[in-house]
Amino acid sequence: MQTQTTPPRVLGLYDEPFWRMMAESGRMHLQCCTECSTWRYPPGPACPACLSPRADWTPVSGGGELLSWVTFHKQYLPAYPAPYNVIAVRLDEGPTIISNLVTPPQGPIIGQRVALTVVRMEDGVALPRFALAD
Amino acid sequence: MTAQSRVAAVVGVGHSDWVADWHRVRAGKRPDDSYGYAATAFRNALADANMTRDQIDGLIVGPTTAYERMAEVLAMNVRWGDQADAVLSVVQACMAIETGRADVVALVYGNDQRSVGTQYGGPQAMGGDAFLSYIYHAPWGMTSQGALYALMFRRFSELYGVTERDLGQVAVAQREGSARNPHAIQRKLITLDDYMAAPYITEPLRLFDYCLINDGGVALIIAEAGLARKLSPHPVYIEAIGRYDLNTGATSLEPRLQDFYRPAQQAVAEQIFGQSGLDPSDIDVLQVYDSFSVHVPLALEGYGYCGVGESGRFMAEQGIGLAGQLPTNTSGGHLSESYMQGWNHQIECVRQARGVCGARQIEGCRRVHYTSDVAGKAVSVIYGT
Ligand SMILES: [Zn+2]
């Protein structure tokens, strides 16, 4: 079987540490503002709260709340045969992240707690996904 | 300083033959390129305005063609020029006229997206240079702009109880208009049952929630108001313009998922209704940028045509079809007339205000509100006679 390639990541200067630390540590790190402790996602050059450029890459708790979810019934990408889901999660640290639920979503689950789990893709990319928390 | 009302008016509109080109492209032909479609639309707009090219001193070119090449093809040397999307072109034309930079501005747009296979999802998805959210989440399989609206509608639906069947009112109502519009590509009437029976693309959105992809061009000619009265027997004035952008958290979709763009629309509503001295009950026809049906209920709520969470009931009871309380996207819009990225809506605004829409004409139409909210950038224009 052919190894599926993870769809292309946007790898700007500030994105690289996000993915490298995910692969190395198995945990998701985000920039946390050195001046005002506001968390930042996607990674970038300035704090959205105070515009400071200074930040520390800090592991997140992994907890969050499910904001929304969809099911793709059409395949767009080789690594994602339909049907598959995409979710939006508000992390406890504040930022929103788009990801997947590791089990197919069902029913009214918006607002439920979710927990981060880092999944290793076939081509070695470490991808942050979520599971419904008990 | 407050912008003035009625400083400019549309004196000419034109477009390419969307229907004929749709069939030609489906038959494997390549009828024209983006510049050619724009040139056809421009010739038709000049004819509609009964004007010649040398009467124009300003040019705005849409985002899908290069400004210089477009101007070269049309052989236009101008004293003021710009490049913008549909609604911002109207805004820029008004600002150029109001500040004396130009007296008569041509707005031209052409797009060969169907015949060249422009992708709005998948590995070659376009738009990432302007909106990072269109490509940033690809590692999770999040691609296609429709999926962004599906994510938005799921949360909206669950928070406010607006159902998938309620959303179907949009596609059904717009087919009422397109069925009576000879320029529309999809003219077959559909029912709510047809809507519900169509397959999901990205659930909760179905086939009929998605816009067409077709080739074509649009052009408008906008003149200073005094000049417009001399040039045209039926100038359509720009009564008000407004804009407010929600950019914070845009890539991770926060303006969509937390506020459904509502704060931006409310700010624009204050601008346009304040500037024109009108309120929502004075609007005869609403035109909404509808790459996806979801834009319509969000605009109804955001601009105060109904209360927050009431758009489902409003569409079902008051109605947005031709006989409804607020006829919306009367040409069929992007879903059923033509996907000209907001440009075809400007033409329909003008035609409804002129009273020349034939079987789909809204009787006594005097004021038309156009709004777009692409990626949380809310922009509105009120057109009036
Ligand atoms: Zn800060």
Side-chain angles (χ1 to χ4, degrees), chain A residues 33 36 47 50:
Chain A
C33 179
C36 79
C47 170
C50 75

Side-chain angles (χ1 to χ4, degrees), chain A residues 55-79:
Chain A
D56 305 302
W57 284 94
T58 312
V60 298
S61 66
E65 177 198 327
L66 189 82
L67 288 179
S68 193
W69 61 280
V70 297
T71 304
F72 281 72
H73 290 267
K74 179 180 166 188
Q75 180 167 357
Y76 292 91
L77 301 157

Side-chain angles (χ1 to χ4, degrees), chain A residues 7 9 15 19 41-43 67-74 76 80 84 86 88 90 96 98-100 108 110 127-128, chain B residues 121-123 135-144 147 150-151 154-155 158 200-203 251-254 257-258:
Chain A
R9 294 168 285 172
D15 298 296
W19 293 104
Y41 182 83
L67 288 179
S68 193
W69 61 280
V70 297
T71 304
F72 281 72
H73 290 267
K74 179 180 166 188
Y76 292 91
Y80 284 93
Y84 66 96
V86 166
R90 188 187 291 130
T96 298
I98 305 303
S99 181
N100 312 110
I110 286 174
L127 197 66
Chain B
I135 57 168
Y136 199 78
H137 314 296
W140 295 272
M142 181 57 160
T143 184
S144 106
L151 208 52
R154 169 85 70 193
R155 182 167 175 83
E158 215 166 294
Y200 283 124
I201 307 295
T202 298
E203 186 182 347
T251 298
S252 46
L253 312 180
E254 287 176 16
L257 296 173
Q258 292 181 12

